[in-house]
Amino acid sequence: MRLKLVPARQGALWVRDGLRVFFRKPLAFCVLFLVYMLITPMLMLLVAPLATVGFMIATRQALEGRFPFATVFIEPLRGSSARRWAQIRLGVLYSVAAALVLWIAFTAGGEPFAASLQALSSGRSTPEELQPLMDDPSSQMGWLVLAVGISLLAVPFWHAPALVHWGGQGAAKSLFFSTVACWRNKGALTVFTLAWFVVLMSFQFLAMIVSGLLGVPQLAIIALAPAMLMLVSAFYASLYFSFVDSFEANPETP
C-alpha cells in the first residue's frame, strides 16, 4: 500500500460521501452500529479495531449495491492466519491502551470525574444534576485528559485494521503507517473532524428551531436519540473514504 497525499478540503468530501452512502442503506448501517453497541463493555474495546474495518467493508458493499450484514465484523478474521492474528493483536493493544488512558483520566479527575462519568453512562441524570459535576475543575481535567488521550490513540489505529485486512501488513507495521498517513494528511483529517462537528451542531440547531416553532421543546430531546444513531452510523460509513484516499494499492497487492 502506497501513501497518497490529499488536500485539506478532501476531509469535507469524506463527510459528504459518508452521508451519501449511509442514505443508500440507512437501515443496514444503523443495525450494524446497534449490533456493535450490544457487545458487552468488557469486549467493546477489544473488538473496536474489527468494528472499524467492518464498517469499511460495509461501505464498500453498499457502494457495490449490496446490503451489508453483521457478518462484516467477522470478515477480517476469515483471511490468512497471519492477518487474523494481526487483527487480534490490534484489538488487544487498543484495549490495553484505552484502559491506560481511562486510568490516567481517573487519576487526574479523581472522584468528581468518576461521578460525572457514572452519571452520564447511567442516562438517567437530568441536566440540572449533571451541571455541577461537569463544572468541577477536577472533573474537567479528567475529561480533558480522556479527550486528548483518546484522540492521540485514534491516530495509530485509524487505518491500521484496514492496512492489515487489505494491505496484508502486520500489527506493528500497520500502526506505524497509519500514524504516518494521519500526520501527512492531517489537514484533511482536521477538516473531516470539523465538518462532522458542523453537521452535528447544525442538526441540534435545526431541531431546536423546529421544536420552538411547534411549541414543543421536548421534541428536540426526543429526536436526539435516533438522530445520533444515524449520525454516528454515517460517521463510521465515512471512514472507508478516508482510507481509500490515503492509500493506493501496489500492482502486486491483491
Side-chain angles (χ1 to χ4, degrees):
M1 306 293 289
R2 294 181 295 182
L3 176 64
K4 295 193 297 183
L5 303 181
V6 296
R9 65 178 180 274
Q10 196 70 20
L13 299 183
W14 296 341
V15 176
R16 181 202 65 182
D17 293 340
L19 289 169
R20 282 181 175 179
V21 75
F22 168 79
F23 282 110
R24 285 190 185 184
K25 309 285 183 182
L27 178 60
F29 283 104
C30 287
V31 169
L32 288 177
F33 182 71
L34 289 175
V35 169
Y36 173 57
M37 293 302 294
L38 288 175
I39 300 173
T40 59
M42 293 298 294
L43 291 177
M44 187 171 289
L45 291 176
L46 185 63
V47 301
L50 277 179
T52 300
V53 72
F55 273 101
M56 290 186 182
I57 295 172
T59 299
R60 189 166 183 165
Q61 291 180 356
L63 290 172
E64 295 170 351
R66 294 187 286 162
F67 190 93
F69 293 96
T71 52
V72 295
F73 293 131
I74 61 174
E75 186 69 25
L77 300 177
R78 291 176 173 173
S80 64
S81 176
R83 298 190 187 198
R84 181 164 55 251
W85 280 110
Q87 296 286 9
I88 293 173
R89 291 188 188 97
L90 287 179
V92 172
L93 288 171
Y94 185 84
S95 58
V96 171
L100 179 61
V101 169
L102 190 59
W103 176 79
I104 296 174
F106 274 115
T107 303
E111 186 61 32
F113 170 73
S116 63
L117 182 62
Q118 184 177 5
L120 280 174
S121 59
S122 67
R124 294 187 296 269
S125 301
T126 63
E128 292 75 15
E129 294 172 338
L130 282 173
Q131 192 63 42
L133 294 174
M134 301 301 292
D135 288 342
D136 187 282
S138 297
S139 177
Q140 292 177 356
M141 177 57 69
W143 283 108
L144 177 62
V145 170
L146 182 63
V148 173
I150 293 298
S151 299
L152 293 176
L153 183 60
V155 171
F157 286 91
W158 191 271
H159 299 298
L163 286 171
V164 171
H165 181 66
W166 281 303
Q169 297 183 0
K173 189 175 181 179
S174 67
L175 291 171
F176 172 77
F177 282 107
S178 175
T179 303
V180 172
C182 288
W183 175 252
R184 297 293 297 274
N185 289 321
K186 55 185 178 294
L189 284 174
T190 300
V191 172
F192 175 76
T193 304
L194 292 176
W196 272 117
F197 179 77
V198 170
V199 170
L200 176 61
M201 292 297 103
S202 298
F203 169 79
Q204 291 184 345
F205 182 69
L206 180 62
M208 290 174 60
I209 291 179
V210 173
S211 61
L213 291 175
L214 295 177
V216 188
Q218 297 83 1
L219 182 62
I221 301 176
I222 295 173
L224 184 61
M228 287 302 298
L229 172 62
M230 291 190 294
L231 289 177
V232 174
S233 301
F235 167 79
Y236 275 103
S238 67
L239 295 179
Y240 174 76
F241 301 102
S242 71
F243 173 72
V244 295
D245 277 353
S246 298
F247 293 94
E248 181 181 11
N250 290 317
E252 66 272 13
T253 301

